[in-house]
Amino acid sequence: MDQKGSVSSHQDKPVPRCSLGSSSGLHYGALVNSVSSLAPLASDKPPISQRRAYVAIAVLCYVNLLNYMERYTIAGVLSDIKNFFVISDSTAGLLQTVFICSFLLLAPLFGYLGDRYNRKYIMLCGLSVWLLTAAGSSLVSKSQFWLLVLLRALVGVGEASYSTVAPTIIGDLFSGGQRSVMICIFYIFIPVGSGLGYITGAGSANLTGDWRWALRITPIMGLVGLVLMVFLCPNPPRGAAETHGDGVTGHSSYVEDVKYLLKNKSYVWSSLGVTSLAFLTGALAFWLPTFLARAHVTQGLRPSCTGESCNSTDSYIFGAVTVATGILGGALGTTISRQLRDRFSHADPLICAVGMLGSVPCLFITIFVASSSIPVTYVFIFFGELLLSLNWAVLADILLYVVVPTRRATAEALQITVGHLLGDAGSPYLLGVISDAILSSNPDTSDFRSLMYSLLLCPFMGILGGVFFLITTMYITEDKKAVQRLVEGNLFLRISAPEPQVAFIFRSSSMPL
């Protein structure tokens, strides 16, 4: 037999320790010790106590909250920034684009490091960079817009280190249904943090009369997160939750990791769905508060903003809606997933497809009703965001159970890179360019109408994302069955050496499953 991957582990007692070798010949979806069905036995002693794991989750969620608060604070005071620097829609959209670009370019590096080195130290270094650059961006003067752009790019460096590594730590602290719940809680803080970013940004600007104070709140709160992470966040062995605390070791090159992921069709198609979702949510999150503010002006409900301090009511309301729909949608998506997953193996990508496709009519109505009824617009924003929020926790769970533990950080990093590169890295800027182009070609068109027409791109991306998730349903069942066959019938136990020693031998990919 051609043994493509084996490893031995010396223990005081014969507790299996799994390893993935460098072979890229394993069938895609051939997961070892990374699926929910491999939950630890009650009698096994976990490497990290349950209490400490819960504390770690609380710290990770707090920092995740701050990440997304900081990311969307700019959107909450975008009108103030535009008037302060006297810039166009496309230039304003560049602030988010440079942040996302640096974020996605460095994600693969941190994914590589996260699969091989101490993940806690990686997060601490990244968080420190984030705090310094975020605070520094609040000190720019009126003639230093270029410096604000540069500092926003550097903020993405810090966030890339955290977003690629933190979910893999959660995956190594919990397994099974408990992991799904913890991932749900962690990802709920994406919309919650985004919503609070609008609220705290607009509130700080209104209280102080200076939009730059909006960029100083999260760095102050981030110092607390940095201290908490130093003392309360562990670095569990990779795969610890599925291997009864023993962990998984692996020796493979980055190229082999990428080849493995590209053969995993569930991972590839769900990542394309994530890309569509990122494009859609990134564009909406950046431009909807400004769109709503212009809708008020169009209806004659408030005067046009000309000074440095603009009316921030829409940022408050939109932020509150984002928080509420994030919590409800995340909890609802996870609950439906747990109820249906045992009966329908393709339930998770189907839930994501329903969320994406169901949001499309809500988005169309939102865009066209804004000029006549603000309350009705907010109703459909609520339902649209609720449907989109079904996806976040479910998508994270899909990645964790279709990728082996030693390649999860790389998988997170590549998904982030592709998702942001083709998604929200360019969508705010692209919509700004379209809006400016419409204004240039037809000077009689209002800035509200030009932005409205550019936003029509979002529903079409929702349709495309729904199609990608429907394609994922075609492969995810096969991947799960491949896992079951590998675990139940194709994982052989060999005992050798004078000490208690256990080795798992992976069957060659040339042998039929």
Side-chain angles (χ1 to χ4, degrees):
M1 183 193 304
D2 180 19
Q3 298 172 356
K4 290 215 170 186
S6 64
V7 71
S8 298
S9 173
H10 296 276
Q11 304 289 339
D12 294 332
K13 57 182 181 178
V15 179
R17 180 177 180 85
C18 297
S19 173
L20 284 175
S22 61
S23 169
S24 61
L26 289 173
H27 291 287
Y28 70 85
L31 318 178
V32 181
N33 298 309
S34 62
V35 291
S36 299
S37 61
L38 297 181
L41 299 175
S43 59
D44 291 320
K45 183 179 179 180
I48 295 173
S49 68
Q50 190 175 57
R51 179 179 179 181
R52 190 181 176 196
Y54 286 141
V55 171
I57 284 291
V59 173
L60 293 174
C61 287
Y62 175 72
V63 177
N64 200 37
L65 173 76
L66 297 183
N67 267 337
Y68 282 87
M69 280 181 63
E70 201 283 330
R71 184 178 299 190
Y72 290 103
T73 296
I74 288 283
V77 292
L78 187 60
S79 297
D80 303 74
I81 293 174
K82 281 189 63 182
N83 291 331
F84 182 78
F85 290 106
V86 192
I87 55 177
S88 64
D89 283 351
S90 58
T91 305
L94 193 63
L95 287 172
Q96 189 75 348
T97 295
V98 295
F99 164 80
I100 297 297
C101 283
S102 65
F103 180 78
L104 66 90
L105 289 174
L106 285 166
L109 171 63
F110 289 114
Y112 176 86
L113 297 175
D115 278 336
R116 290 160 176 81
Y117 301 102
N118 190 298
R119 292 172 288 182
K120 177 177 178 178
Y121 294 157
I122 293 171
M123 290 193 298
L124 288 173
C125 291
L127 185 57
S128 300
V129 172
W130 168 63
L131 292 176
L132 291 173
T133 53
S137 63
S138 70
L139 303 176
V140 297
S141 65
K142 197 167 187 176
S143 61
Q144 295 177 317
F145 180 73
W146 64 270
L147 181 58
L148 178 61
V149 172
L150 175 62
L151 290 171
R152 289 299 297 170
L154 292 175
V155 169
V157 175
E159 291 202 23
S161 67
Y162 183 80
S163 297
T164 56
V165 170
T168 68
I169 291 180
I170 298 174
D172 292 333
L173 290 174
F174 301 95
S175 65
Q178 194 176 28
R179 174 193 287 167
S180 299
V181 172
M182 294 305 161
I183 285 292
C184 171
I185 294 172
F186 180 80
Y187 276 90
I188 276 177
F189 282 93
I190 292 179
V192 170
S194 302
L196 290 178
Y198 298 117
I199 295 170
T200 57
S204 301
N206 284 339
L207 287 174
T208 62
D210 186 351
W211 62 268
R212 284 170 290 199
W213 273 100
L215 304 182
R216 296 168 184 165
I217 300 300
T218 49
I220 294 172
M221 298 173 67
L223 286 173
V224 178
L226 186 66
V227 173
L228 291 175
M229 189 172 290
V230 169
F231 294 103
L232 300 177
C233 185
N235 180 45
R238 292 168 181 82
E242 298 93 356
T243 58
H244 316 319
D246 207 27
V248 172
T249 60
H251 305 283
S252 61
S253 68
Y254 187 75
V255 173
E256 288 170 328
D257 291 349
V258 173
K259 286 181 179 179
Y260 161 79
L261 294 171
L262 291 177
K263 291 180 179 180
N264 188 329
K265 293 184 180 179
S266 294
Y267 172 78
V268 170
W269 286 108
S270 64
S271 294
L272 291 175
V274 169
T275 302
S276 301
L277 179 62
F279 185 102
L280 173 59
T281 56
L284 293 176
F286 195 80
W287 284 115
L288 267 187
T290 300
F291 176 68
L292 292 167
R294 293 179 183 179
H296 277 93
V297 175
T298 298
Q299 293 185 38
L301 300 177
R302 77 171 63 137
S304 180
C305 175
T306 56
E308 289 186 10
S309 181
C310 302
N311 190 308
S312 302
T313 303
D314 297 300
S315 292
Y316 291 134
I317 299 175
F318 184 72
V321 170
T322 302
V323 171
T325 55
I327 295 173
L328 292 174
L332 183 61
T334 299
T335 301
I336 296 174
S337 172
R338 295 183 69 186
Q339 292 292 326
L340 298 181
R341 190 183 296 170
D342 291 338
R343 287 182 289 171
F344 306 100
S345 57
H346 59 283
D348 285 350
L350 187 60
I351 291 169
C352 296
V354 170
M356 290 289 283
L357 296 174
S359 70
V360 170
C362 296
L363 294 176
F364 273 119
I365 295 173
T366 294
I367 292 169
F368 286 107
V369 172
S371 60
S372 58
S373 176
I374 297 298
V376 174
T377 301
Y378 272 116
V379 169
F380 283 96
I381 287 176
F382 177 89
F383 285 112
E385 288 200 339
L386 180 67
L387 288 165
L388 291 174
S389 295
L390 295 176
N391 295 358
W392 294 114
V394 177
L395 285 171
D397 214 15
I398 289 175
L399 185 146
L400 289 176
Y401 66 64
V402 300
V403 177
V404 292
T406 55
R407 286 165 171 162
R408 284 177 185 161
T410 298
E412 290 277 358
L414 289 179
Q415 192 173 86
I416 286 172
T417 299
V418 174
H420 288 308
L421 179 64
L422 303 178
D424 57 348
S427 61
Y429 179 69
L430 178 60
L431 263 63
V433 168
I434 294 173
S435 177
D436 286 345
I438 294 172
L439 278 175
S440 299
S441 62
N442 189 356
D444 294 331
T445 303
S446 66
D447 58 356
F448 167 76
R449 292 290 176 185
S450 65
L451 185 56
M452 182 187 79
Y453 295 139
S454 68
L455 283 170
L456 288 174
L457 186 59
C458 294
F460 291 103
M461 292 304 298
I463 295 173
L464 185 62
V467 171
F468 287 143
F469 287 126
L470 287 176
I471 295 174
T472 306
T473 63
M474 299 168 57
Y475 298 104
I476 202 161
T477 299
E478 182 180 346
D479 288 346
K480 288 183 178 181
K481 288 181 178 179
V483 173
Q484 294 170 358
R485 287 196 298 267
L486 183 67
V487 172
E488 294 172 3
N490 296 290
L491 193 63
F492 296 95
L493 183 67
R494 183 181 65 186
I495 300 178
S496 61
E499 297 181 37
Q501 181 183 25
V502 175
F504 284 125
I505 310 301
F506 293 95
R507 178 172 289 185
S508 167
S509 63
S510 62
M511 298 179 66
L513 286 174

